Amino acid sequence: MNSAKKLHRYAKQLAKQLAKQQVPPIDEALLDYLDNNPETLLESLQALVEQLHDEADNEHLVNAYLLLIHVHLEQIRYQVDRNYDWAKELIADFQHQVLNLARTGQLPDTLLGQLALALKEAKLAVDPQLFSAIENAMDNRSTHNEIAPTDIDEVLAGLAQEIKGDEFDVIQALTEFTYALPIQARVALAAEMLVCRFPTLQNAAPLLVLDERKEMRRSVAQVLLGTVHALTPAGLRRLIIIRSWLPEPERPLVDKIIKAARQKGVECAQWPPTTPAEVHATALDGSGAQGFMILSKAGRKHRLSSVLLRLSKGIMDAWSSGPEGKRTINKQLSAASTQTPLQTVADEYLTRAVRHHLAVACETQQVPPVGLLGVAEILGAADWQPDRINVAATTERLFMELPETLRSPSALKKCLQESEFWSIEAGITESWFEDDQAVADLLAKSRTRRLDTLAKRVLTEVIEPRRAIWTEKLLWTVLWFKEESDSSPDEDALWVNFLRITWALLQGQPLNEIPLFTDIANRTVLALRN
């Protein structure tokens, strides 16, 4: 069966589930199929348009192709993150085709907005031309400028009634409903929220200062500055912490809002009290990603929160679920532990990791997801402020605290020589390999197919220039293993072994003298061959 026929078969299966008002299962077989057939993303788009113009008017099949596009975009984003040219070109081609379909009238502006949201939810950069196309479509309708104040009040009343959760649920819903709207329309809605009669919406308005689009953040901040009298105590408290999460050039405007609000007599709400939490953390995978699953009390029930971090990128995702029974949450934790190493860590470890990655985000002119503030408020984590860890200083301090016998030249040499064996015992290094366009180019231009020769080239031409990145990854691994209940510094402690490798990297130890890195280079070659 060719790839296109299989795609349409999957779409029909999903449509049947949607017709029964069931959540369609996205199983491993479907994910593998999409992974191995990236070009079918464009096929899904074309099929979506064909179904729109089919006389049968099969709404469920339209939604099935839209769902496939959502899932496929997220799968391809992993390759975009790795800087693969083919993935970047495919996403650019997809957006170009979407634009052409919109400009030729084949794609309704409502679906255009949904496709823009799909790109956003997959954490892919949306072509500004898509937003322009949506704005032009709204201009052609010429009705959005004629909305009466009573209509806006009805919209807000409906939103307040429909969303039973907290302000973070409001922001999530607003993002889904308004992401593709012109910025001026979204800002106007934020302004109405701030002065409306619904406390949940009033408290949610300042959260839009964490919007992913810089122009939206600035515009909302300008609105807040002009209406500081309407700022709620909870809104002021949130702005104070959000201020430090923003890129430095954006902070002065928020400072003005905070100062003006205080001059107007707006009181700052107290932070929720610190909530005891059970924190579980995964080990760092090959891409530098680390996930946290946090269990906290919510009345008689419990709440599960999650934070996903990635080295050199910042905070990728954060969310909290509604109150659930502990048994339900334990099942989720158990399922997660079967997929990746997961262990209990102290609250301080989570705080240290979040603060570091907030600093990384600020340096790269990114903002964390608004869900992070929701998690912080649940835990009462008022100390989540940007603070980058000093890799060299932390490594040196930990190394010098080891007993002299564990940091002697002979002990260090033995640790390095045996790293091939104890790193396998650690159970976390299987995903440690390089996987990006630079490696693919290196292997493509190599005439030899010999594994050892190619691995040596990977070691010297790819991994060596990334020594600092691997050093940081190793340090976080040290800190993760050190969280084990018995973290005493003995000869067999994994955190001690990883620490000695980290120290050796900082001292300039040649990588070909560390079998762990020879293994990483071998895995890199084998992975890209596959």
Side-chain angles (χ1 to χ4, degrees), residues 17 30 97 103 134 155 157 211 269 297 325 344 365 374 390 423 445 448-449 459 478 509:
Q17 297 291 324
L30 175 54
Q97 291 197 27
R103 287 166 178 165
I134 295 167
V155 169
D211 193 88
K297 289 278 288 182
T344 304
Q365 304 293 295
N390 187 314
S423 63
K445 69 183 182 183
T448 182
R449 297 286 293 171
L459 200 62
V478 170
Q509 185 85 24

Side-chain angles (χ1 to χ4, degrees), residues 426-459:
I428 65 168
T429 58
E430 286 184 6
S431 67
W432 285 18
F433 54 87
E434 296 285 0
D435 177 11
D436 59 27
Q437 188 66 53
V439 185
D441 290 344
L442 173 65
L443 298 183
K445 69 183 182 183
S446 299
R447 295 181 179 180
T448 182
R449 297 286 293 171
R450 286 177 56 93
L451 175 61
D452 58 345
T453 302
L454 292 173
K456 286 179 182 176
R457 292 199 64 184
V458 168
L459 200 62

Side-chain angles (χ1 to χ4, degrees), residues 157-458:
L159 185 63
Q161 184 175 4
E162 182 177 339
I163 298 173
K164 304 299 183 183
D166 58 18
E167 292 87 347
F168 299 94
D169 295 318
V170 170
I171 293 301
Q172 181 178 347
L174 277 176
T175 300
E176 293 174 0
F177 297 154
T178 69
Y179 179 72
L181 291 179
I183 283 181
Q184 60 267 31
R186 298 182 70 205
V187 172
L189 185 58
E192 293 296 331
M193 287 169 58
L194 193 64
V195 296
C196 76
R197 55 193 171 91
F198 307 105
T200 301
L201 301 186
Q202 281 187 299
N203 288 332
L207 298 176
L208 292 169
V209 176
L210 276 179
D211 193 88
E212 65 179 37
R213 295 169 69 185
K214 180 180 178 180
E215 55 268 41
M216 177 68 179
R217 297 197 297 270
R218 181 168 183 82
S219 296
V220 171
Q222 292 284 7
V223 166
L224 292 174
L225 184 59
T227 52
V228 290
H229 63 279
L231 199 60
T232 66
L236 179 57
R237 183 193 67 212
R238 286 168 174 166
L239 278 178
I240 289 171
I241 192 168
I242 286 173
R243 179 254 178 214
S244 67
W245 293 5
L246 295 172
E248 198 163 340
E250 299 180 34
R251 295 175 189 173
L253 180 54
V254 179
D255 288 337
K256 289 181 181 178
I257 300 169
I258 294 169
K259 182 178 179 181
R262 284 174 166 157
Q263 289 175 342
K264 289 286 185 180
V266 179
E267 299 214 358
C268 181
Q270 293 294 313
W271 260 85
T274 302
T275 301
E278 184 181 308
V279 184
H280 304 264
T282 69
L284 272 74
D285 66 15
S287 70
Q290 182 177 33
F292 290 85
M293 301 185 77
I294 308 153
L295 182 63
S296 58
K297 289 278 288 182
R300 294 184 176 182
K301 294 188 176 184
H302 289 77
R303 191 188 305 273
L304 182 65
S305 301
S306 174
V307 178
L308 178 63
L309 315 174
R310 188 173 176 193
L311 293 186
S312 304
K313 295 288 186 180
I315 298 170
M316 309 302 293
D317 197 14
W319 52 264
S320 294
S321 69
E324 298 177 291
K326 191 171 184 181
R327 181 177 298 178
T328 301
I329 294 177
N330 283 338
K331 284 182 181 179
Q332 293 174 270
L333 291 172
S334 178
S337 66
T338 63
Q339 299 174 6
T340 183
L342 189 71
Q343 73 171 16
T344 304
V345 298
D347 294 353
E348 291 78 9
Y349 180 89
L350 170 63
T351 297
R352 180 186 240 178
V354 168
R355 294 179 69 172
H356 172 81
H357 287 82
L358 279 171
V360 170
C362 289
E363 292 167 10
T364 55
Q365 304 293 295
Q366 303 295 317
V367 295
V370 70
L372 183 70
L373 183 54
V375 178
E377 291 190 356
I378 287 169
L379 302 180
D383 57 348
W384 282 6
Q385 301 290 329
D387 184 17
R388 179 186 270 274
I389 193 172
N390 187 314
V391 174
T394 304
T395 301
E396 181 172 7
R397 176 180 60 78
L398 291 172
F399 185 77
M400 297 309 294
E401 288 175 356
L402 293 177
E404 189 173 346
T405 54
L406 297 183
R407 50 188 171 87
S408 66
S410 59
L412 190 60
K413 182 178 180 181
K414 181 173 181 288
C415 172
L416 300 186
Q417 290 176 340
E418 296 178 353
S419 61
E420 177 184 5
F421 306 106
W422 60 254
S423 63
I424 294 174
E425 176 192 340
I428 65 168
T429 58
E430 286 184 6
S431 67
W432 285 18
F433 54 87
E434 296 285 0
D435 177 11
D436 59 27
Q437 188 66 53
V439 185
D441 290 344
L442 173 65
L443 298 183
K445 69 183 182 183
S446 299
R447 295 181 179 180
T448 182
R449 297 286 293 171
R450 286 177 56 93
L451 175 61
D452 58 345
T453 302
L454 292 173
K456 286 179 182 176
R457 292 199 64 184
V458 168

